[in-house]
Amino acid sequence: MPDTVKTENIDLDALLSKGSRLADEVEIYTASFNDLTLEQRGTDISSLFEHAETMVYFRVVKDKKIGISATSDVTKLKEALSAAVSSAKLSDTVIGWNGFPEKQEIPAGENPIDKDLEISAETAAGYLSRMNAGAAKYPEARPVSGAVTISKGRSVLVNTNGICLEREFSDITLGMDAICEDSTGYSYDSSPFSARLNPEKIGEEATYFASSSRNGVNIESKKYDVVFSEDAADALILELFSEAVNGRNILTGKSVYAGKLVGAVASPEISITDVPMKKEGDAWRRFDTEGTPAHDLSIIRNGVLQSYLYDAKTAAQAGAASTGHAHRTGNGSTVISPHCLTISAPEEDVLEKPCLYVKEVIGAHTANPLTGEFSVESANAYLAEGEEFVQPVKKAMLAGNVFDILKGNLTISKETKSLSGALVPKMRIPNLQVI
Amino acid sequence: MDTIRYYDIRLVNGHTISIQTENGAVENAGSSYSKKALIRVLGKTGWGYACVSPFDMDDEKAKRAAVERAAKLASFPTVKADVADVPYGTPHSWNASAREQKERPLEEKTEELLTLERAAQLPGIAATTARYAEQYLDVYFEDANGYEARSSVCRTLYTVTAVAANNGDMQMNYEQDAVVGPLRTTDFIGKAESCAKTALDLLSAKAVPGGKMPAILDPAIGGVFAHEAVGHASEGDQVRDGVSVLGPRCGEQVGSKLVTIIDDPSMHGYGYEPFDAEGIAAGPCELIKQGVVNKFMHSRETLAAVGLESGEAGHARAEPGMQPLVRMSNTYIKEGDASYEEILETCRNGILLIGSRGGQVDPGRGVFQFNAKYGYKIENGETTQMLRDVSLSGDILSVLHNISLCGKERRMSSGMCGKGQNVPVSDGAPHVYLTEATVGGAGNA
């Protein structure tokens, strides 16, 4: 049995013990949060929201069949455990199942928590005030709304194989919307660490993009060199890439990369690596939500596919080892996603040569995750040259294929933005169809 | 003592059961439970919200403490908010509790889901997935006026996905339905088969060359148009904040006289709510009436802010434990009088868009985008070549004027809307003919 751990007055030892009488293996993962959200309308505070919650996720294994359940109602822990046991009876045997991870050495490192961060309305109001100060740089634009969420949390993982791990985390999320005549702008950022955020820049970007996108022109329908902002590159390119290397999609035949391990899938100049403890990233994960140690993982090296992402179950099914990429969903099952993707490709000043710069894409989620084809609308798009936005563009629909883009002459900016699951550069894509 | 001008408490007790099968095996079958209350207080100026979990409505001491906590939070805002005094209405009651559904053994539902998935496993289909979920939400609402309301709603859904593969090419299609009340997955065997056939057909479909062209929207994607292009721009918070292109145009003709768009929380669709997150039971609200901006959807707060004549309250919705936002429910374009054949013949040469892969709108700019599952080229009034990965974008005010025909038969589709929080919605339309639309695709990429 693991070391004794209690979380939010939940006796995990007792639950593990009870579960052990009903199943071969038991795992309990808890995540407790305290957060506060302060919202403003215009530049005045409109509401204050306080939230505290503990989620408890159960997984049990009986005869190599996995059962799951979850509850945010801590008065229903016994029902949830019982539901997980019943669920295991319905599931199919996991071929190759080797059990939940066992206690093993976890890489050294710190948790992504800002110990000095205070969850208070005053702290949040300070961020809003700084965003408003930045927004005031473009007074012709009007902040519509803004929000600050500050949260701290703690997760605890225990299983009957001796795993007992704890992780603390914090998060500050800032966002602002602005409008100028019929033109809108938006900016946001988040980080576990207060010192990494620049609230003034967020406010300034929101009003800048609203202001500078006015009087956009229609442009000719043809192929352009297009530069995606970090946000657009993440929403469209890295999102579909992550799905394509997801071990579950590989196993179930829902990825173009299935069967292409050690094959060329991208330009020889592109390498993509997941670095869970990347200092500049925000993940700082030493282990995943199953307790598997998280290590650097080369996914594409010089254009050649090196690895897929697995959790314990998909790894067993694939006859491979878990890569430590299990995250949790609402019903207690695991989902697979990267911790902190880093991209290596030829670097340049991506806005130096003439291009169409796209700050945001509308409808990124409508891209075809299987084939990689997309046709999306742009927002805050500009014709750019010499590092400057020359002319705002009224409307530009972009059409292409994410996996073909990775095979082409993609170049990236040296600077990156830390987003959920990746350190993202701006990306310059030659000859993209614009409609 | 902090000022309390108004408060309400909304407790949601939830239980969700879900089953997922992949390639003929049960991937997972699980349950999740939740019990969350949002205590909301309107203080001297603005709102304080406290989410408490778990919460007991019968514990008067805990209730008082939670209201006092939210009142403290409400002392912080500086923006003055008010709530409009509106009638609560009579909660609409459909057969939503679905007790029989809950009592049927999970084993039986799992077998039925596997049967549904097998129906999609046609020759040439490389992978299939099926999912079933049933969600029971019991809502307890009370407010400072002593008003109390209770509801118990069951929602069920299925999704089946088929991946077709041939010589390294792959295409995917999915079918889904989601309803208020019970649903048997075996009633949709035909849908699973047609889902797989379409995935196979997509292997030989062509990418569409983008550009401006006449377009026909089928009821599914026409519904997404109603939701994305008009619905979001008709939400009272967007209007109040000056970020809706429709906001300044109340009473103005913004589209063809054929266009009437309605949101109706009382309709027996996936977006049905007996009463909203403020306890208000609403009926159909005509957002666009014969091309004229008619009414906006409101919460009590946005109705007070924008004006009592600007629309109707009863459209505040929230995830359990979250603050109410102005949202759509069941949104649709009203039927016209054109036959499908007449619409095709009028279009002559253009594109037919079928099914929806979702969409998005920027209501402030008035620009929207949505993606169809597939489409067909229309040549000489007939559908010809199948097309894949077709999208459509445009600006709301132009496209509404471009609607020149609406079909006779409307169909609704169900899904989730994610405006900060996810809530169940449905949308629909008859076949709609647009004289000009911006169509996107990789055909000339």
Side-chain angles (χ1 to χ4, degrees), chain A residues 41 45 48 50 53 69-72 87 92 142 184 223 248 252 254 313 363 366 368 373 375 377 394-395 397 399 433, chain B residues 22 26-27 29 31-33 36 49 51 53 69 78-79 127 129 301 357 360 362 365 369 388-389 391 393 444-445:
Chain A
R41 197 178 310 144
I45 293 165
L48 179 57
E50 196 178 75
E53 187 174 352
S69 70
T71 183
S72 67
S87 151
D92 278 283
R142 169 175 67 88
T184 55
K223 292 185 178 177
R248 174 160 310 290
T252 54
K254 290 185 201 145
K313 180 177 175 179
T366 68
N368 189 328
E373 291 199 7
S375 46
E377 184 58 48
K394 187 176 181 184
K395 188 176 179 309
M397 204 175 198
Q433 182 64 41
Chain B
E22 284 188 351
V26 180
E27 167 61 23
S31 285
S32 59
Y33 304 88
K36 297 181 192 180
Y49 303 102
C51 171
S53 172
R69 178 67 203 148
T78 53
V79 173
T129 306
E301 182 192 349
R357 276 212 313 249
Q360 195 178 346
D362 178 348
R365 281 172 67 210
Q369 181 273 0
R388 59 179 161 81
D389 296 300
S391 71
S393 75
N444 44 10

Short mmCIF file of all heavy atoms in Angstrom, two decimals, chain A residues 41 45 48 50 53 69-72 87 92 142 184 223 248 252 254 313 363 366 368 373 375 377 394-395 397 399 433, chain B residues 22 26-27 29 31-33 36 49 51 53 69 78-79 127 129 301 357 360 362 365 369 388-389 391 393 444-445:
data_model
loop_
_atom_site.label_atom_id
_atom_site.label_comp_id
_atom_site.label_asym_id
_atom_site.label_seq_id
_atom_site.Cartn_x
_atom_site.Cartn_y
_atom_site.Cartn_z
N ARG A 41 -16.57 45.04 -17.35
CA ARG A 41 -17.29 45.46 -18.55
C ARG A 41 -16.81 46.86 -18.84
O ARG A 41 -16.85 47.71 -17.93
CB ARG A 41 -18.79 45.42 -18.30
CG ARG A 41 -19.61 45.43 -19.56
CD ARG A 41 -21.09 45.35 -19.27
NE ARG A 41 -21.41 44.28 -18.34
CZ ARG A 41 -22.36 44.37 -17.41
NH1 ARG A 41 -23.05 45.48 -17.28
NH2 ARG A 41 -22.61 43.37 -16.61
N ILE A 45 -15.29 47.02 -12.98
CA ILE A 45 -15.51 45.65 -12.50
C ILE A 45 -17.01 45.34 -12.45
O ILE A 45 -17.80 46.09 -11.87
CB ILE A 45 -14.86 45.46 -11.13
CG1 ILE A 45 -13.33 45.55 -11.29
CG2 ILE A 45 -15.25 44.13 -10.51
CD1 ILE A 45 -12.58 45.74 -10.01
N LEU A 48 -17.63 39.29 -9.44
CA LEU A 48 -16.58 38.53 -8.77
C LEU A 48 -17.12 37.12 -8.49
O LEU A 48 -18.22 36.98 -7.94
CB LEU A 48 -16.20 39.23 -7.47
CG LEU A 48 -15.12 38.59 -6.60
CD1 LEU A 48 -13.82 38.39 -7.36
CD2 LEU A 48 -14.86 39.47 -5.36
N GLU A 50 -16.30 33.13 -7.11
CA GLU A 50 -15.42 32.29 -6.29
C GLU A 50 -15.88 30.84 -6.43
O GLU A 50 -17.09 30.57 -6.43
CB GLU A 50 -15.56 32.74 -4.83
CG GLU A 50 -14.49 32.27 -3.92
CD GLU A 50 -14.73 32.82 -2.51
OE1 GLU A 50 -15.63 32.31 -1.81
OE2 GLU A 50 -14.04 33.76 -2.14
N GLU A 53 -13.69 23.28 -5.62
CA GLU A 53 -14.23 21.98 -6.03
C GLU A 53 -13.16 20.90 -5.91
O GLU A 53 -11.97 21.17 -6.08
CB GLU A 53 -14.70 22.08 -7.49
CG GLU A 53 -15.42 20.86 -7.97
CD GLU A 53 -16.00 21.06 -9.38
OE1 GLU A 53 -15.97 22.20 -9.90
OE2 GLU A 53 -16.47 20.08 -9.94
N SER A 69 -15.08 5.83 -13.29
CA SER A 69 -16.15 6.69 -12.80
C SER A 69 -15.52 7.96 -12.27
O SER A 69 -14.29 8.03 -12.09
CB SER A 69 -16.97 6.01 -11.70
OG SER A 69 -16.20 5.89 -10.54
N ALA A 70 -16.37 8.95 -12.02
CA ALA A 70 -15.86 10.21 -11.47
C ALA A 70 -16.97 10.88 -10.69
O ALA A 70 -18.15 10.66 -10.96
CB ALA A 70 -15.41 11.13 -12.61
N THR A 71 -16.57 11.69 -9.73
CA THR A 71 -17.58 12.47 -9.00
C THR A 71 -16.99 13.77 -8.48
O THR A 71 -15.83 13.82 -8.07
CB THR A 71 -18.19 11.66 -7.82
OG1 THR A 71 -19.20 12.44 -7.19
CG2 THR A 71 -17.15 11.26 -6.80
N SER A 72 -17.81 14.82 -8.53
CA SER A 72 -17.44 16.07 -7.86
C SER A 72 -18.27 16.21 -6.59
O SER A 72 -18.18 17.21 -5.89
CB SER A 72 -17.68 17.28 -8.77
OG SER A 72 -19.05 17.45 -9.01
N SER A 87 -18.66 -0.86 -14.12
CA SER A 87 -18.20 -0.46 -15.45
C SER A 87 -17.15 -1.44 -15.99
O SER A 87 -17.14 -1.76 -17.18
CB SER A 87 -17.63 0.95 -15.35
OG SER A 87 -16.63 1.18 -16.28
N ASP A 92 -14.31 -4.45 -22.39
CA ASP A 92 -13.58 -5.58 -22.97
C ASP A 92 -12.20 -5.69 -22.34
O ASP A 92 -11.62 -4.70 -21.87
CB ASP A 92 -13.45 -5.39 -24.48
CG ASP A 92 -14.72 -5.84 -25.18
OD1 ASP A 92 -14.92 -7.05 -25.32
OD2 ASP A 92 -15.54 -4.97 -25.55
N ARG A 142 -12.12 50.57 -27.85
CA ARG A 142 -12.79 50.51 -26.53
C ARG A 142 -12.71 49.08 -25.99
O ARG A 142 -13.15 48.14 -26.65
CB ARG A 142 -14.25 50.90 -26.75
CG ARG A 142 -15.18 50.66 -25.59
CD ARG A 142 -16.57 51.20 -25.90
NE ARG A 142 -17.27 50.50 -26.96
CZ ARG A 142 -18.03 49.42 -26.79
NH1 ARG A 142 -18.18 48.92 -25.58
NH2 ARG A 142 -18.65 48.84 -27.81
N THR A 184 -12.83 44.18 -34.40
CA THR A 184 -12.64 43.64 -33.05
C THR A 184 -11.20 43.16 -32.84
O THR A 184 -10.49 42.84 -33.80
CB THR A 184 -13.59 42.45 -32.80
OG1 THR A 184 -13.39 41.47 -33.82
CG2 THR A 184 -15.04 42.89 -32.80
N LYS A 223 -2.68 32.49 -54.26
CA LYS A 223 -1.79 31.93 -53.24
C LYS A 223 -0.88 33.01 -52.67
O LYS A 223 -0.35 33.84 -53.41
CB LYS A 223 -0.96 30.79 -53.83
CG LYS A 223 -1.84 29.59 -54.15
CD LYS A 223 -1.09 28.39 -54.61
CE LYS A 223 -2.07 27.27 -54.86
NZ LYS A 223 -1.46 26.06 -55.37
N ARG A 248 -4.12 6.54 -29.30
CA ARG A 248 -5.46 5.96 -29.48
C ARG A 248 -5.90 6.07 -30.93
O ARG A 248 -6.45 5.13 -31.51
CB ARG A 248 -6.47 6.67 -28.57
CG ARG A 248 -7.91 6.24 -28.79
CD ARG A 248 -8.80 6.55 -27.63
NE ARG A 248 -8.27 6.11 -26.37
CZ ARG A 248 -8.15 4.83 -26.00
NH1 ARG A 248 -8.58 3.88 -26.81
NH2 ARG A 248 -7.61 4.51 -24.87
N THR A 252 -6.73 2.95 -33.46
CA THR A 252 -8.07 2.77 -34.01
C THR A 252 -8.15 3.18 -35.48
O THR A 252 -9.24 3.25 -36.05
CB THR A 252 -9.10 3.58 -33.19
OG1 THR A 252 -8.66 4.95 -33.12
CG2 THR A 252 -9.24 3.03 -31.79
N LYS A 254 -7.41 6.06 -36.96
CA LYS A 254 -7.94 7.39 -37.24
C LYS A 254 -6.83 8.42 -37.34
O LYS A 254 -6.97 9.55 -36.86
CB LYS A 254 -8.92 7.79 -36.14
CG LYS A 254 -10.20 7.00 -36.17
CD LYS A 254 -11.15 7.52 -35.14
CE LYS A 254 -12.18 6.47 -34.82
NZ LYS A 254 -12.56 6.51 -33.42
N LYS A 313 -2.89 2.25 -21.12
CA LYS A 313 -3.77 1.31 -21.83
C LYS A 313 -3.40 1.17 -23.31
O LYS A 313 -3.24 0.07 -23.83
CB LYS A 313 -5.22 1.80 -21.70
CG LYS A 313 -6.23 0.91 -22.38
CD LYS A 313 -7.63 1.43 -22.14
CE LYS A 313 -8.66 0.62 -22.92
NZ LYS A 313 -10.02 1.11 -22.69
N GLY A 363 -12.98 29.24 -36.81
CA GLY A 363 -13.43 27.92 -37.26
C GLY A 363 -12.31 26.90 -37.34
O GLY A 363 -12.43 25.92 -38.08
N THR A 366 -13.17 23.26 -37.13
CA THR A 366 -13.90 22.58 -38.21
C THR A 366 -12.94 21.91 -39.20
O THR A 366 -13.39 21.29 -40.17
CB THR A 366 -14.81 23.57 -38.99
OG1 THR A 366 -13.99 24.49 -39.71
CG2 THR A 366 -15.73 24.33 -38.05
N ASN A 368 -10.53 19.14 -40.83
CA ASN A 368 -10.70 17.68 -40.87
C ASN A 368 -9.54 17.02 -40.14
O ASN A 368 -8.41 17.03 -40.61
CB ASN A 368 -10.75 17.21 -42.32
CG ASN A 368 -11.14 15.75 -42.46
OD1 ASN A 368 -10.82 14.94 -41.59
ND2 ASN A 368 -11.83 15.42 -43.54
N GLU A 373 -7.24 18.55 -43.92
CA GLU A 373 -7.70 19.64 -44.79
C GLU A 373 -8.47 20.68 -43.98
O GLU A 373 -9.21 20.35 -43.06
CB GLU A 373 -8.57 19.08 -45.91
CG GLU A 373 -7.75 18.26 -46.88
CD GLU A 373 -8.42 18.06 -48.23
OE1 GLU A 373 -9.47 18.66 -48.48
OE2 GLU A 373 -7.88 17.28 -49.02
N SER A 375 -10.45 24.78 -44.31
CA SER A 375 -10.76 26.06 -44.94
C SER A 375 -11.41 26.91 -43.87
O SER A 375 -12.52 26.62 -43.42
CB SER A 375 -11.64 25.91 -46.18
OG SER A 375 -12.71 25.04 -45.95
N GLU A 377 -11.76 30.96 -41.82
CA GLU A 377 -11.79 32.40 -42.03
C GLU A 377 -10.73 33.04 -41.13
O GLU A 377 -10.40 32.51 -40.07
CB GLU A 377 -13.19 32.93 -41.68
CG GLU A 377 -13.42 34.40 -41.94
CD GLU A 377 -13.18 34.82 -43.37
OE1 GLU A 377 -13.70 34.14 -44.28
OE2 GLU A 377 -12.47 35.81 -43.58
N LYS A 394 -9.78 42.89 -45.07
CA LYS A 394 -11.16 42.79 -44.58
C LYS A 394 -11.57 41.34 -44.37
O LYS A 394 -12.16 40.99 -43.35
CB LYS A 394 -12.09 43.46 -45.60
CG LYS A 394 -13.53 43.57 -45.14
CD LYS A 394 -14.34 44.33 -46.18
CE LYS A 394 -15.79 44.45 -45.71
NZ LYS A 394 -16.62 45.10 -46.73
N LYS A 395 -11.28 40.52 -45.35
CA LYS A 395 -11.78 39.14 -45.29
C LYS A 395 -10.83 38.25 -46.07
O LYS A 395 -10.45 38.58 -47.19
CB LYS A 395 -13.18 39.11 -45.93
CG LYS A 395 -13.90 37.80 -45.76
CD LYS A 395 -15.31 37.88 -46.33
CE LYS A 395 -16.01 36.54 -46.16
NZ LYS A 395 -15.24 35.40 -46.64
N MET A 397 -10.26 33.95 -46.55
CA MET A 397 -10.49 32.56 -46.20
C MET A 397 -9.23 31.78 -46.61
O MET A 397 -8.70 31.97 -47.70
CB MET A 397 -11.70 32.05 -46.98
CG MET A 397 -12.40 30.90 -46.36
SD MET A 397 -13.87 30.54 -47.34
CE MET A 397 -14.79 29.59 -46.18
N ALA A 399 -7.26 28.12 -47.19
CA ALA A 399 -7.53 26.70 -47.46
C ALA A 399 -6.22 25.97 -47.67
O ALA A 399 -5.32 26.46 -48.36
CB ALA A 399 -8.43 26.54 -48.68
N GLN A 433 -3.39 28.86 -50.23
CA GLN A 433 -4.51 29.40 -51.00
C GLN A 433 -5.35 30.33 -50.14
O GLN A 433 -5.78 29.96 -49.05
CB GLN A 433 -5.39 28.26 -51.54
CG GLN A 433 -6.56 28.74 -52.39
CD GLN A 433 -6.12 29.43 -53.68
OE1 GLN A 433 -5.19 28.99 -54.35
NE2 GLN A 433 -6.78 30.54 -54.01
N GLU B 22 -15.24 0.95 -29.68
CA GLU B 22 -14.31 1.23 -30.79
C GLU B 22 -13.98 -0.07 -31.50
O GLU B 22 -13.54 -1.04 -30.86
CB GLU B 22 -13.02 1.87 -30.27
CG GLU B 22 -13.22 3.32 -29.90
CD GLU B 22 -11.92 4.05 -29.56
OE1 GLU B 22 -10.88 3.38 -29.43
OE2 GLU B 22 -11.98 5.26 -29.42
N VAL B 26 -15.76 -2.73 -26.29
CA VAL B 26 -16.20 -1.67 -25.37
C VAL B 26 -14.96 -0.97 -24.84
O VAL B 26 -14.18 -1.54 -24.08
CB VAL B 26 -17.03 -2.25 -24.21
CG1 VAL B 26 -17.47 -1.13 -23.27
CG2 VAL B 26 -18.24 -3.00 -24.75
N GLU B 27 -14.78 0.26 -25.26
CA GLU B 27 -13.60 1.03 -24.85
C GLU B 27 -13.74 1.49 -23.40
O GLU B 27 -12.83 1.36 -22.61
CB GLU B 27 -13.44 2.22 -25.80
CG GLU B 27 -12.47 3.30 -25.38
CD GLU B 27 -11.05 2.81 -25.22
OE1 GLU B 27 -10.70 1.79 -25.83
OE2 GLU B 27 -10.30 3.44 -24.45
N ALA B 29 -17.07 2.34 -20.24
CA ALA B 29 -18.47 2.56 -19.86
C ALA B 29 -18.43 3.08 -18.43
O ALA B 29 -18.03 2.35 -17.53
CB ALA B 29 -19.25 1.25 -19.92
N SER B 31 -19.66 6.13 -15.19
CA SER B 31 -20.64 7.05 -14.61
C SER B 31 -19.91 8.22 -13.99
O SER B 31 -18.80 8.07 -13.49
CB SER B 31 -21.41 6.35 -13.48
OG SER B 31 -22.34 5.46 -13.99
N SER B 32 -20.55 9.38 -14.02
CA SER B 32 -20.01 10.51 -13.27
C SER B 32 -21.14 11.21 -12.53
O SER B 32 -22.27 11.25 -13.01
CB SER B 32 -19.26 11.47 -14.18
OG SER B 32 -20.11 11.97 -15.17
N TYR B 33 -20.81 11.72 -11.35
CA TYR B 33 -21.79 12.37 -10.48
C TYR B 33 -21.32 13.80 -10.19
O TYR B 33 -20.12 14.06 -10.09
CB TYR B 33 -21.90 11.63 -9.15
CG TYR B 33 -22.24 10.17 -9.26
CD1 TYR B 33 -21.23 9.22 -9.41
CD2 TYR B 33 -23.55 9.74 -9.23
CE1 TYR B 33 -21.52 7.88 -9.52
CE2 TYR B 33 -23.86 8.39 -9.33
CZ TYR B 33 -22.85 7.47 -9.47
OH TYR B 33 -23.14 6.13 -9.59
N LYS B 36 -23.63 20.63 -7.66
CA LYS B 36 -23.05 21.96 -7.53
C LYS B 36 -24.14 23.00 -7.41
O LYS B 36 -25.16 22.92 -8.11
CB LYS B 36 -22.22 22.30 -8.77
CG LYS B 36 -21.03 21.42 -9.01
CD LYS B 36 -20.29 21.90 -10.24
CE LYS B 36 -19.26 20.87 -10.66
NZ LYS B 36 -18.53 21.26 -11.85
N TYR B 49 -20.73 35.89 -7.12
CA TYR B 49 -21.11 34.51 -7.38
C TYR B 49 -20.26 33.58 -6.51
O TYR B 49 -19.04 33.75 -6.45
CB TYR B 49 -20.83 34.10 -8.83
CG TYR B 49 -21.49 34.94 -9.89
CD1 TYR B 49 -20.76 35.91 -10.58
CD2 TYR B 49 -22.82 34.76 -10.24
CE1 TYR B 49 -21.33 36.68 -11.58
CE2 TYR B 49 -23.41 35.52 -11.24
CZ TYR B 49 -22.65 36.48 -11.91
OH TYR B 49 -23.23 37.23 -12.89
N CYS B 51 -19.67 29.41 -6.07
CA CYS B 51 -20.01 28.03 -6.46
C CYS B 51 -19.64 27.12 -5.28
O CYS B 51 -18.50 27.13 -4.82
CB CYS B 51 -19.23 27.63 -7.71
SG CYS B 51 -19.41 25.88 -8.10
N SER B 53 -19.84 23.13 -3.70
CA SER B 53 -20.07 21.73 -4.04
C SER B 53 -19.47 20.85 -2.95
O SER B 53 -18.30 21.02 -2.60
CB SER B 53 -19.41 21.40 -5.37
OG SER B 53 -19.46 20.02 -5.63
N ARG B 69 -21.71 34.90 1.87
CA ARG B 69 -20.41 34.85 1.18
C ARG B 69 -20.51 35.53 -0.19
O ARG B 69 -19.66 36.34 -0.55
CB ARG B 69 -19.98 33.38 1.01
CG ARG B 69 -18.68 33.18 0.29
CD ARG B 69 -17.49 33.70 1.09
NE ARG B 69 -16.36 34.00 0.24
CZ ARG B 69 -15.48 34.96 0.48
NH1 ARG B 69 -15.58 35.71 1.54
NH2 ARG B 69 -14.46 35.16 -0.34
N THR B 78 -18.11 47.45 -9.49
CA THR B 78 -18.47 48.87 -9.56
C THR B 78 -19.46 49.16 -10.68
O THR B 78 -20.00 50.26 -10.75
CB THR B 78 -17.21 49.72 -9.78
OG1 THR B 78 -16.50 49.20 -10.92
CG2 THR B 78 -16.30 49.66 -8.57
N VAL B 79 -19.68 48.20 -11.58
CA VAL B 79 -20.65 48.42 -12.67
C VAL B 79 -22.04 48.17 -12.12
O VAL B 79 -22.32 47.11 -11.55
CB VAL B 79 -20.39 47.47 -13.85
CG1 VAL B 79 -21.50 47.59 -14.89
CG2 VAL B 79 -19.05 47.76 -14.49
N ALA B 127 -12.32 1.66 -39.73
CA ALA B 127 -12.46 1.89 -38.29
C ALA B 127 -13.83 2.48 -37.99
O ALA B 127 -14.37 3.25 -38.78
CB ALA B 127 -11.37 2.85 -37.80
N THR B 129 -16.41 3.88 -34.53
CA THR B 129 -16.57 4.24 -33.12
C THR B 129 -18.04 4.52 -32.89
O THR B 129 -18.72 5.05 -33.78
CB THR B 129 -15.79 5.54 -32.79
OG1 THR B 129 -14.44 5.39 -33.20
CG2 THR B 129 -15.82 5.85 -31.31
N GLU B 301 -30.96 40.66 -16.41
CA GLU B 301 -30.03 41.79 -16.33
C GLU B 301 -29.91 42.50 -17.67
O GLU B 301 -29.98 43.74 -17.74
CB GLU B 301 -28.64 41.31 -15.88
CG GLU B 301 -27.66 42.46 -15.74
CD GLU B 301 -26.21 42.01 -15.59
OE1 GLU B 301 -25.98 40.80 -15.38
OE2 GLU B 301 -25.33 42.87 -15.69
N ARG B 357 -19.95 20.38 -39.66
CA ARG B 357 -18.81 20.03 -38.78
C ARG B 357 -18.56 21.16 -37.79
O ARG B 357 -17.52 21.22 -37.16
CB ARG B 357 -17.56 19.80 -39.62
CG ARG B 357 -17.44 18.41 -40.17
CD ARG B 357 -16.00 17.92 -40.31
NE ARG B 357 -15.07 18.82 -40.93
CZ ARG B 357 -14.51 18.66 -42.12
NH1 ARG B 357 -14.83 17.61 -42.85
NH2 ARG B 357 -13.64 19.51 -42.59
N GLN B 360 -18.24 29.07 -36.33
CA GLN B 360 -17.83 30.08 -35.36
C GLN B 360 -18.19 31.45 -35.91
O GLN B 360 -18.29 31.62 -37.14
CB GLN B 360 -16.32 29.99 -35.12
CG GLN B 360 -15.85 30.74 -33.88
CD GLN B 360 -14.34 30.59 -33.66
OE1 GLN B 360 -13.69 29.74 -34.26
NE2 GLN B 360 -13.78 31.41 -32.80
N ASP B 362 -17.74 35.90 -35.28
CA ASP B 362 -17.29 37.09 -34.56
C ASP B 362 -18.44 38.08 -34.68
O ASP B 362 -18.57 38.77 -35.70
CB ASP B 362 -16.01 37.63 -35.22
CG ASP B 362 -15.51 38.91 -34.56
OD1 ASP B 362 -16.26 39.50 -33.76
OD2 ASP B 362 -14.37 39.33 -34.86
N ARG B 365 -17.71 41.89 -35.63
CA ARG B 365 -17.41 42.16 -37.04
C ARG B 365 -18.54 41.70 -37.94
O ARG B 365 -18.66 42.12 -39.07
CB ARG B 365 -16.14 41.40 -37.48
CG ARG B 365 -14.85 42.02 -37.05
CD ARG B 365 -13.69 41.08 -37.38
NE ARG B 365 -13.50 40.91 -38.81
CZ ARG B 365 -13.02 39.81 -39.38
NH1 ARG B 365 -12.73 38.75 -38.65
NH2 ARG B 365 -12.85 39.73 -40.68
N GLN B 369 -18.06 31.65 -40.04
CA GLN B 369 -17.50 30.57 -40.84
C GLN B 369 -18.13 29.28 -40.36
O GLN B 369 -18.36 29.10 -39.16
CB GLN B 369 -15.97 30.51 -40.64
CG GLN B 369 -15.24 29.44 -41.44
CD GLN B 369 -15.16 28.08 -40.76
OE1 GLN B 369 -15.64 27.89 -39.66
NE2 GLN B 369 -14.58 27.11 -41.42
N ARG B 388 -15.76 17.28 -50.96
CA ARG B 388 -15.38 17.11 -49.56
C ARG B 388 -14.81 18.41 -48.98
O ARG B 388 -14.37 19.28 -49.74
CB ARG B 388 -14.35 15.99 -49.42
CG ARG B 388 -13.08 16.22 -50.20
CD ARG B 388 -12.09 15.09 -50.00
NE ARG B 388 -11.08 15.05 -51.04
CZ ARG B 388 -9.99 15.80 -51.07
NH1 ARG B 388 -9.79 16.67 -50.12
NH2 ARG B 388 -9.12 15.70 -52.05
N ASP B 389 -14.82 18.50 -47.65
CA ASP B 389 -14.21 19.62 -46.93
C ASP B 389 -14.62 20.98 -47.50
O ASP B 389 -13.79 21.78 -47.92
CB ASP B 389 -12.68 19.48 -46.92
CG ASP B 389 -12.25 18.24 -46.16
OD1 ASP B 389 -12.56 18.14 -44.96
OD2 ASP B 389 -11.62 17.34 -46.77
N SER B 391 -16.39 24.60 -46.91
CA SER B 391 -16.78 25.53 -45.87
C SER B 391 -17.42 26.76 -46.48
O SER B 391 -17.35 26.98 -47.70
CB SER B 391 -15.57 25.92 -45.02
OG SER B 391 -14.72 26.74 -45.76
N SER B 393 -18.11 31.03 -45.62
CA SER B 393 -17.93 32.16 -44.71
C SER B 393 -18.63 33.37 -45.30
O SER B 393 -18.98 33.39 -46.48
CB SER B 393 -16.44 32.45 -44.48
OG SER B 393 -15.89 33.09 -45.60
N ASN B 444 -8.36 24.47 -55.21
CA ASN B 444 -7.37 25.21 -56.01
C ASN B 444 -6.14 25.51 -55.18
O ASN B 444 -5.39 26.43 -55.47
CB ASN B 444 -7.97 26.49 -56.59
CG ASN B 444 -8.81 27.23 -55.56
OD1 ASN B 444 -8.79 26.89 -54.38
ND2 ASN B 444 -9.52 28.25 -56.01
N ALA B 445 -5.96 24.70 -54.09
CA ALA B 445 -4.79 24.92 -53.22
C ALA B 445 -3.55 24.34 -53.88
O ALA B 445 -3.64 23.51 -54.75
CB ALA B 445 -5.01 24.29 -51.87
#
